[in-house]
């Protein structure tokens, strides 16, 4: 007997992500899901961003790693609420793991929640966690062919931060080419060229993010 | 390697549907896998095999259809196949493209007894 069942396989996760999103919306919280391959600079970007914005915004962080709590410790040192999720092998965070951290936060006291996903350029892009938008980092040491090889993450992300531009003199990588390739897949992508080491280019990112938080809280008041 | 989680979600849906249809044996299950989805078919099929072996679902055939990426242009309204992940309208060069198919991951049909 043939049974027709047209069903999205990720439906269960999408549903939980939607429930998370409803909670974030109700609390007036902007949430973004930060993705990249291992070591591209997610935690470094968060450290810099927290230093720059913590006087204006109340920020919380969820750190996803297969193992260890080092990233959450780096964030907590800044006096920011940070919760570590250890996926114990899974290469991505999902809606359920995020929901399990809610009891650790006081969402009423936050304006912005950042979810640092597990370092991986493939899998995290497939799983929603309830975010308002996805942001990704590509560091110049990874090469300009990455958008074409990992199109899903580039298609799904609203923002691309091209990081480690301080290393450009030492690597064969053209930032223009990364831009071109990324924009081919996602013509509306917002792109920043930054160095989390020197701080170069980060002002524009801070301004953009401040504006996003402002607009989302204004939209919610209507 | 998120194919393990995908296989788990797939098995959850299969078991639920089998119960609904009072089915005992799963002959085959067909999936549509979008070209843009980050799934490696070989690895999904491996996970499916591992996770069904020794269970009531052992031996079921996993049929995977790859679905090409198609988009519709928000400016001129025309539909087309998206080649090389270039999200630009081949008719009017508009950059605002909505994905019509080829992104998702869905179960379409099961053969059961
Ligand atoms: N030269 C240079 N090094 C950087 C820059 N940003 C980060 N790094 C270094 O890159 C390494 C990895 O940075 P992290 O911020 O831990 O990267 P991550 O993406 O959080 O890594 P995982 O969480 O393990 O995936 C560290 O040694 C950083 O000091 C940069 O802009 N320039
Ligand atoms: Mg990190
Ligand atoms: Zn067009």
């Amino acid at each position: 007997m043939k049974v027709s069942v047209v069903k999205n396989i990720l439906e269960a996760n999408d549903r939980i992500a939607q429930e998370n999103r409803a909670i974030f919306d109700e609390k007036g919280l902007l949430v973004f899901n930060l993705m990249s391959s291992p070591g591209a600079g997610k935690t470094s970007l968060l450290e810099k961003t927290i230093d720059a914005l913590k006087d204006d915004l109340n920020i919380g962080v969820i750190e996803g790693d297969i193992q260890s709590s080092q990233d959450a410790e780096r964030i907590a040192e800044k006096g920011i609420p940070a919760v570590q999720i250890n996926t114990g092998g899974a290469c991505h965070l999902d809606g359920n793991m995020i929901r399990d951290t809610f009891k650790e936060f006081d969402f009423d006291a936050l304006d912005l929640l950042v979810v640092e996903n597990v370092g991986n350029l493939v899998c995290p892009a497939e799983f929603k966690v309830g975010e308002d938008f996805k942001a990704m980092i590509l560091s110049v040491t990874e090469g300009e062919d990455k958008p074409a090889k990992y199109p899903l993450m580039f298609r799904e992300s609203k923002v691309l931060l091209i990081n480690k531009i301080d290393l450009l003199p030492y690597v064969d990588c053209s930032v223009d080419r990364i831009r071109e390739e990324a924009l081919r897949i996602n013509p509306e992508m917002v792109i920043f060229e930054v160095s989390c080491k020197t701080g170069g280019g980060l002002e524009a990112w801070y301004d953009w993010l401040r504006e996003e938080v402002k607009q989302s809280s204004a939209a919610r008041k209507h | 390697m998120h194919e393990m989680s995908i296989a788990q979600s797939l098995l959850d849906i299969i078991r639920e549907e089998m119960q609904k249809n009072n089915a005992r044996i799963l002959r085959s299950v067909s999936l549509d896998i979008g070209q843009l989805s980050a799934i490696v078919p070989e690895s999904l099929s491996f996970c499916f095999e591992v996770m069904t072996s020794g269970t009531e679902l052992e031996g079921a055939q996993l049929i995977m259809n790859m679905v090409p990426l198609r988009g519709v242009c928000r400016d001129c309204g025309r539909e087309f196949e998206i080649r090389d992940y270039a999200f630009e309208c081949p008719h009017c060069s508009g950059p605002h493209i909505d994905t019509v198919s080829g992104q998702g991951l869905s179960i379409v049909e099961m053969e059961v007894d």
Side-chain angles (χ1 to χ4, degrees), chain A residues 64-85:
Chain A
D65 282 289
I66 292 179
Q67 245 167 59
S68 123
S69 56
Q70 293 179 44
D71 280 2
E73 283 157 23
R74 281 167 64 184
I75 300 298
E77 256 171 47
K78 308 260 172 211
I80 293 291
V83 175
Q84 181 77 49
I85 298 175

Side-chain angles (χ1 to χ4, degrees), chain B residues 14-15 19 26 31 45 49 55 62-63 72 78 93 106:
Chain B
I14 289 174
R15 292 206 164 93
Q19 207 165 27
L26 178 67
L31 310 183
S45 133
E49 232 177 274
T55 75
L62 183 65
I63 303 162
V72 63
R78 275 181 276 195
S93 300
S106 48

Side-chain angles (χ1 to χ4, degrees), chain A residues 31-75:
Chain A
V31 181
F32 74 88
N33 182 352
L34 181 59
M35 308 177 293
S36 80
S37 51
K42 298 179 291 303
T43 311
S44 304
L45 178 74
L46 291 182
E47 288 170 320
K48 288 280 188 199
T49 306
I50 289 164
D51 285 342
L53 300 184
K54 74 175 173 193
D55 291 340
D56 309 334
L57 295 177
N58 296 303
I59 307 174
V61 174
I62 297 174
E63 283 290 343
D65 282 289
I66 292 179
Q67 245 167 59
S68 123
S69 56
Q70 293 179 44
D71 280 2
E73 283 157 23
R74 281 167 64 184
I75 300 298

Side-chain angles (χ1 to χ4, degrees), chain A residues 12-31:
Chain A
N13 182 65
D14 287 357
R15 199 175 46 236
I16 296 171
Q18 233 166 44
E19 289 164 10
N20 292 351
R21 175 80 189 267
I23 292 171
F24 298 146
D25 278 348
E26 190 198 310
K27 299 287 182 187
L29 192 57
L30 183 80
V31 181

Side-chain angles (χ1 to χ4, degrees), chain B residues 10-27:
Chain B
L10 174 61
L11 290 177
D12 290 345
I13 296 175
I14 289 174
R15 292 206 164 93
E16 197 187 307
E17 290 296 323
M18 286 182 70
Q19 207 165 27
K20 262 196 236 161
N21 290 284
N22 286 316
R24 298 190 169 278
I25 299 166
L26 178 67
R27 301 268 175 221

Side-chain angles (χ1 to χ4, degrees), chain A residues 1-10 91-92 122-123 126-127 148 151-152 155-156 184-185 187-188, chain B residues 1-2 5 9 16-17 21 36-38 84-85 87 95-97 103 105-113:
Chain A
M1 172 174 72
K2 288 205 166 156
V3 186
S4 129
V5 260
V6 181
K7 228 173 184 183
N8 172 4
I9 296 175
L10 294 171
C91 48
H92 60 271
V122 183
C123 316
E126 201 98 64
F127 296 84
L152 181 63
R155 180 68 194 164
E156 289 283 295
R184 186 167 64 89
I185 297 166
E188 291 170 271
Chain B
M1 265 296 288
H2 57 311
S5 334
S9 308
E16 197 187 307
E17 290 296 323
N21 290 284
L36 188 61
S37 84
D84 297 327
Y85 306 109
F87 283 76
H96 307 292
I97 310 299
Q103 171 138 18
L105 196 63
S106 48
I107 173 169
V108 284
E109 194 181 66
M110 292 163 49
E111 199 174 347
V112 295
D113 285 319

Side-chain angles (χ1 to χ4, degrees), chain B:
Chain B
M1 265 296 288
H2 57 311
E3 282 79 2
M4 212 61 165
S5 334
I6 304 277
Q8 185 57 58
S9 308
L10 174 61
L11 290 177
D12 290 345
I13 296 175
I14 289 174
R15 292 206 164 93
E16 197 187 307
E17 290 296 323
M18 286 182 70
Q19 207 165 27
K20 262 196 236 161
N21 290 284
N22 286 316
R24 298 190 169 278
I25 299 166
L26 178 67
R27 301 268 175 221
S28 68
V29 54
S30 306
L31 310 183
D32 275 356
I33 299 182
Q35 187 193 342
L36 188 61
S37 84
I39 289 290
V40 181
E42 293 75 26
S43 133
L44 181 58
S45 133
F46 173 74
C47 294
F48 183 80
E49 232 177 274
V50 170
M51 292 170 80
T52 52
S53 91
T55 75
E56 79 286 8
L57 301 180
E58 179 162 353
Q61 197 192 351
L62 183 65
I63 303 162
M64 290 176 282
N65 316 301
M66 301 308 283
V67 181
L69 195 53
R70 293 186 69 79
V72 63
C73 174
R74 250 183 268 159
D75 299 320
C76 75
R78 275 181 276 195
E79 203 189 299
F80 51 91
E81 182 171 345
I82 297 169
R83 298 221 168 85
D84 297 327
Y85 306 109
F87 283 76
E88 184 188 85
C89 177
H91 305 291
C92 76
S93 300
H96 307 292
I97 310 299
D98 292 321
T99 306
V100 176
S101 64
Q103 171 138 18
L105 196 63
S106 48
I107 173 169
V108 284
E109 194 181 66
M110 292 163 49
E111 199 174 347
V112 295
D113 285 319

